[in-house]
Amino acid sequence: MTDKITDLFGIDVFNDSTMKERLPKKIYEALRKTIEKGEELDSNVAEIVANAMKDWAIGRGATHYTHWFHPMTGVTAEKHDSFIHFTEDGEVIMEFSGKELIKGEPDASSFPSGGLRATFEARGYTAWDCTSPAFLREDAAGVTLYIPTAFCSYTGESLDMKTPLLRSMEALSNQAVRVLRLFGNEDVKKVNVTVGPEQEYFLIDKNKYLQRDDLIFTGRTLFGSMPPKGQEMDDHYFGNIKERVASFMKELNIELWKLGVTAKTQHNETAPAQHELAPIFSTANIATDHNQLVMETMKKIANRHNLACLLHEKPFEGVNGSGKHNNWSLVTDTGVNLFNPTKKPHENIQFLLFFAAVLKAVDLHADILRLSAANPGNDHRLGGHEAPPAIISVFIGTQIEDILAQLVKNGHATSCQEGERLNIGVHTLPWLKKDAADRNRTSPFAFTGNKFEFRMVASSMSIAFANTVMNTAVADVLSDMADSLEGVKDFDMAVAELLKDTIIKHQKIIYSGNGYSDLWVEEAEKRGLPNLKSMVEAVPAAITDKAIDLFGKHNVFSEVELHSRSEILYSSYSKTINIEAKTMISMTNLKYIPSVIKYTSMLADSINSVKKALPGADISVQTELLSKASSLLKDSKVAVYNLEEILSKACSKCTECEKANYYKDKVFPAMDKLRVPIDELEKIVSKEFWPVPTYGDLLFEI
Ligand code: ADP
Ligand code: MG
């Protein structure tokens, strides 16, 4: 089995070893230079690579290729073309040119552009991203060659998630190299961002899923009350994996391994029916592409097992929702993890400076980081008592905390706390070395040994934007640090001062207490940390002068691109809530109300027939139920009228910002009001009359 898996891994990827095997040595080396050093790609090289790629793909049964890109819809897009060409003699040949590899021309007008389209042409281009390997995918349409690409408008504005990410990786590398030079690292040419995203998801029975319009149209349940058992027994987290789920996981792993995705860890999560998959980390853009593949493959494989995979952040009210933990670090092209504290972190000034740079970056740009985790689904989680609060703070652990305290007090640190030996009290068990710091699950941003873990990211979202923000914010701080250190006479003195000064100014972002507590909200306010409770409140962070300067300086987003993105965010919020509201209205009118009417008629019939059969019999139970159900029925009708009315007033001529605020402040509360009587009815209406599967059916019966 192990041998087979090693044979299987990456079998569908045009990866380094395949390229080495199939490309002339010179061409292979030229391509590696582009991939590793970011050198420009020669068109002759592209021509030969395209041909080799085509031969490889056709040899594996491919008939089509597609430029695969990440428009701002959150999901990936693809348009398939066959390799078929006709010769002058009218013969059919399979061909793929360098031009076709490098450039595609999908019509950009059907993808979100946030106003860019009004000013610019509808034409769009996709450009080959050779830093993320091409791969094959097989489905009912046959085998297709997927080529990861960046997507931009006719005038070069980015219309996707990948372009800014690649730009930010370059910016960060440039600035990190500058700082490393100051520490005498002459051999480092490039610094890579490494990312490992942990993906949470729910699996439910497909037949039950298909009976719920809310799940089909919105990805979450808009109604539903908790079953007698929720997650209070904590028996699901790391619990035994059910047979049906296990067979899903097995197939998922194999499928992902074939695509070169390093699926590594899998376990049950906190909520019933909730699970997690974590890959081994890779460079940020490959991790981003792979995370999209993970999400798409999860859905596809679930289907094969008659399951539905829910990636929504909050599919069920009252049970934990899903997130994505974005593990982030920096590693040099010489293989050094810049956030490895080493044995003596207190003496490792380079580590401490990079560490302080992250603290400063997170403190200065907490608002934009918060935005990078914002989507309508995550509004249900952040700040709830399950997910990190909407306030950004950093957990750094006792070991580093102690070192920073020494630095602040004395200007230097002379000691560090070590992980002790853990005494389990049983001699036959091996002795374990304790980590130098405990974990804190309530922190939105935590230093976990040799990487930072951003835990706010939404489960259904691309990780591209979160990493783009991280990279740019850190690049900017490193650039300031390099500016102030380059050319100083006494480097050791200057760096010590800079370190101390940075920590003093930005230590307010450090917090190791319970992030779920109300006290923290008060404390954070005193510290002046932003608390952006909802997505709509977070969007303005994208277009502040601070954000425009930051992203502009490092060529990650132009001002025009930032404005277009904020428009897209607002409008995607409004559209999401609009679909949810309309789904609630239709479910209420077409399912719940008719079912409850049937139920009340049954009760009324029973009252009448019992009375007739046995005059004077006790009919108080039926009567009380009938009266309660009828009154909740009325409440439901009133609430649905109200929601319809409010929805009809959503103005179409307002700005996207005004519209989004209307949906948040008016439509959303009206949806909540409608949910209340329906969820009450679910508790009293006989199950045989209830028109949809309940939480109990969905969460516990697979
Ligand atoms: P934990 O359980 O503490 O979160 P794991 O070792 O399980 O830690 O790692 C979680 C994720 O972090 C995995 O995807 C892993 O590959 C990733 N990871 C580990 N080291 C790094 C690193 N240096 N850079 C980025 N991601 C990393
Ligand atoms: Mg983790």
Side-chain angles (χ1 to χ4, degrees):
M1 187 67 186
T2 353
D3 280 350
K4 277 197 194 136
I5 288 174
T6 46
D7 284 349
L8 205 73
F9 189 82
I11 192 165
D12 289 342
V13 186
F14 194 67
N15 54 19
D16 193 62
S17 55
T18 315
M19 287 196 277
K20 211 175 199 165
E21 195 185 297
R22 290 179 168 259
L23 292 173
K25 195 154 177 262
K26 276 215 170 106
I27 299 293
Y28 171 77
E29 277 164 7
L31 184 61
R32 289 273 10 135
K33 265 192 192 155
T34 304
I35 295 173
E36 276 156 24
K37 308 208 171 86
E39 285 179 18
E40 218 157 283
L41 190 79
D42 185 275
S43 63
N44 294 327
V45 173
E47 198 63 47
I48 296 168
V49 176
N51 203 43
M53 214 187 248
K54 177 209 69 184
D55 287 344
W56 170 77
I58 289 177
R60 298 286 313 279
T63 52
H64 288 69
Y65 70 92
T66 179
H67 274 201
W68 185 61
F69 57 104
H70 301 206
M72 289 177 287
T73 51
V75 290
T76 58
E78 49 196 76
K79 177 181 142 228
H80 297 201
D81 281 298
S82 76
F83 291 119
I84 285 183
H85 282 263
F86 287 96
T87 64
E88 278 175 12
D89 321 328
E91 262 179 74
V92 174
I93 50 162
M94 299 292 256
E95 205 154 70
F96 186 49
S97 68
K99 197 171 147 270
E100 286 168 311
L101 168 63
I102 291 180
K103 188 175 127 196
E105 292 190 33
D107 183 354
S109 62
S110 299
F111 294 102
S113 77
L116 284 178
R117 215 173 45 232
T119 354
F120 304 98
E121 268 208 81
R123 199 188 277 277
Y125 294 114
T126 49
W128 178 34
D129 168 21
C130 64
T131 63
S132 181
F135 54 91
L136 299 173
R137 270 173 116 179
E138 186 170 3
D139 57 22
V143 181
T144 303
L145 170 67
Y146 278 69
I147 301 157
T149 58
F151 179 44
C152 65
S153 75
Y154 184 63
T155 39
E157 272 83 14
S158 115
L159 293 174
D160 69 348
M161 309 297 292
K162 182 183 273 251
T163 311
L165 176 66
L166 291 172
R167 292 173 183 162
S168 74
M169 288 165 67
E170 204 172 310
L172 180 47
S173 176
N174 292 342
Q175 301 309 327
V177 169
R178 277 179 74 197
V179 172
L180 287 171
R181 287 276 180 281
L182 295 165
F183 284 95
N185 303 285
E186 292 301 331
D187 44 349
V188 176
K189 305 255 171 343
K190 192 176 163 198
V191 171
N192 286 309
V193 183
T194 51
V195 169
E198 302 164 52
Q199 177 72 45
E200 293 182 337
Y201 62 99
F202 279 83
L203 282 179
I204 60 169
D205 182 81
K206 181 76 188 262
N207 297 336
K208 296 192 179 105
Y209 165 89
L210 289 173
Q211 291 169 53
R212 297 209 47 145
D213 289 351
D214 46 4
L215 287 175
I216 294 173
F217 295 131
T218 73
R220 74 177 180 108
T221 56
L222 300 166
F223 299 98
S225 53
M226 281 304 293
K229 182 179 181 223
Q231 64 191 49
E232 58 277 73
M233 302 295 283
D234 289 330
D235 54 351
H236 195 259
Y237 189 61
F238 282 12
N240 217 329
I241 298 173
K242 284 181 186 160
E243 195 75 21
R244 194 164 162 200
V245 173
S247 71
F248 157 86
M249 286 178 171
K250 184 177 168 195
E251 199 178 334
L252 175 65
N253 283 333
I254 290 175
E255 201 76 6
L256 290 174
W257 289 335
K258 278 164 55 185
L259 289 167
V261 178
T262 51
K264 167 88 173 158
T265 310
Q266 61 199 25
H267 58 80
N268 284 353
E269 257 300 326
T270 315
Q274 192 185 29
H275 314 279
E276 180 182 298
L277 181 144
I280 298 174
F281 63 91
S282 42
T283 55
N285 67 323
I286 294 179
T288 304
D289 284 356
H290 281 183
N291 184 247
Q292 296 297 129
L293 284 179
V294 164
M295 293 193 286
E296 289 166 19
T297 311
M298 277 176 170
K299 297 210 152 194
K300 186 166 116 182
I301 305 295
N303 224 351
R304 287 191 198 154
H305 292 254
N306 205 27
L307 294 164
C309 171
L310 307 179
L311 293 168
H312 194 280
E313 290 69 28
K314 193 73 181 175
F316 305 98
E317 198 174 88
V319 288
N320 267 29
S322 299
K324 192 131 63 186
H325 290 182
N326 189 83
N327 293 273
W328 177 99
S329 189
L330 296 177
V331 62
T332 64
D333 57 355
T334 53
V336 178
N337 177 348
L338 297 177
F339 296 109
N340 178 0
T342 59
K343 285 231 163 66
K344 295 181 173 168
H346 59 293
E347 291 173 3
N348 188 342
I349 305 297
Q350 180 184 298
F351 160 75
L352 290 170
L353 192 68
F354 274 90
F355 193 94
V358 172
L359 288 182
K360 179 173 171 184
V362 175
D363 186 29
L364 288 181
H365 303 293
D367 56 341
I368 319 178
L369 265 178
R370 161 68 182 92
L371 172 65
S372 76
N375 77 353
N378 233 5
D379 276 4
H380 300 276
R381 289 176 72 237
L382 301 180
H385 289 262
E386 52 159 77
I391 306 162
I392 301 254
S393 64
V394 187
F395 174 82
I396 62 173
T398 43
Q399 187 191 41
I400 310 287
E401 225 164 38
D402 168 63
I403 295 172
L404 299 194
Q406 293 182 52
L407 284 170
V408 168
K409 196 162 160 226
N410 312 320
H412 60 273
T414 51
S415 68
C416 96
Q417 300 172 355
E418 300 229 9
E420 306 151 25
R421 202 171 149 138
L422 184 70
N423 184 357
I424 311 183
V426 179
H427 287 111
T428 52
L429 292 177
W431 71 271
L432 306 174
K433 193 168 178 281
K434 262 170 59 166
D435 285 307
D438 201 357
R439 289 167 177 245
N440 180 333
R441 282 181 50 99
T442 69
S443 178
F445 199 100
F447 179 63
T448 44
N450 60 3
K451 60 185 164 45
F452 289 90
E453 190 170 333
F454 184 31
R455 297 171 174 152
M456 257 188 190
V457 183
S459 55
S460 67
M461 254 176 133
S462 162
I463 56 170
F465 188 40
N467 285 298
T468 303
V469 176
M470 259 318 280
N471 297 347
T472 316
V474 174
D476 192 50
V477 173
L478 292 174
S479 138
D480 285 349
M481 284 177 163
D483 285 347
S484 74
L485 292 173
E486 277 165 356
V488 292
K489 282 209 187 77
D490 187 339
F491 177 72
D492 291 349
M493 265 288 263
V495 78
E497 256 171 50
L498 177 64
L499 193 53
K500 181 176 169 180
D501 186 56
T502 308
I503 295 160
I504 291 175
K505 278 203 188 111
H506 300 285
Q507 60 187 349
K508 70 173 195 295
I509 196 77
I510 301 170
Y511 179 66
S512 31
N514 178 5
Y516 296 172
S517 85
D518 294 334
L519 282 176
W520 169 231
V521 177
E522 281 171 37
E523 162 74 19
E525 197 180 335
K526 275 191 217 137
R527 294 189 191 186
L529 303 179
N531 183 3
L532 303 165
K533 295 197 183 84
S534 67
M535 172 177 175
V536 174
E537 285 159 279
V539 176
I543 44 173
T544 59
D545 291 345
K546 174 172 79 81
I548 292 168
D549 286 349
L550 170 74
F551 291 115
K553 178 173 164 198
H554 298 281
N555 296 319
V556 172
F557 288 114
S558 66
E559 185 170 350
V560 173
E561 286 172 341
L562 285 173
H563 277 280
S564 97
R565 279 176 202 240
S566 73
E567 292 292 289
I568 291 170
L569 289 170
Y570 281 132
S571 90
S572 80
Y573 181 87
S574 305
K575 284 179 189 159
T576 304
I577 306 299
N578 188 45
I579 294 170
E580 289 187 349
K582 285 190 342 206
T583 306
M584 285 187 100
I585 293 169
S586 113
M587 285 176 81
T588 305
N589 287 337
L590 307 182
K591 289 221 157 129
Y592 293 121
I593 288 183
S595 303
V596 178
I597 290 177
K598 267 195 207 145
Y599 176 64
T600 51
S601 315
M602 182 278 288
L603 287 172
D605 288 349
S606 152
I607 292 168
N608 290 334
S609 52
V610 173
K611 255 198 212 157
K612 207 163 148 196
L614 186 64
D618 186 345
I619 47 160
S620 61
V621 173
Q622 294 94 315
T623 313
E624 193 190 316
L625 267 177
L626 177 58
S627 137
K628 199 163 171 193
S630 303
S631 138
L632 287 167
L633 187 62
K634 175 82 209 279
D635 294 348
S636 309
K637 193 69 204 169
V638 170
V640 81
Y641 268 142
N642 178 47
L643 180 58
E644 282 168 319
E645 175 92 4
I646 286 176
L647 206 56
S648 72
K649 286 188 191 144
C651 98
S652 50
K653 291 203 188 75
C654 314
T655 64
E656 292 296 348
C657 170
E658 286 163 348
K659 238 190 275 177
N661 274 290
Y662 182 84
Y663 276 96
K664 171 171 91 64
D665 296 333
K666 299 283 191 287
V667 179
F668 200 76
M671 287 163 58
D672 273 347
K673 271 197 195 144
L674 172 56
R675 183 174 184 143
V676 176
I678 304 279
D679 286 359
E680 279 304 306
L681 280 164
E682 189 183 305
K683 291 181 198 152
I684 60 165
V685 171
S686 160
K687 189 128 193 223
E688 62 183 294
F689 285 84
W690 200 246
V692 299
T694 62
Y695 275 20
D697 304 331
L698 294 167
L699 289 168
F700 291 94
E701 291 177 19
I702 64 162

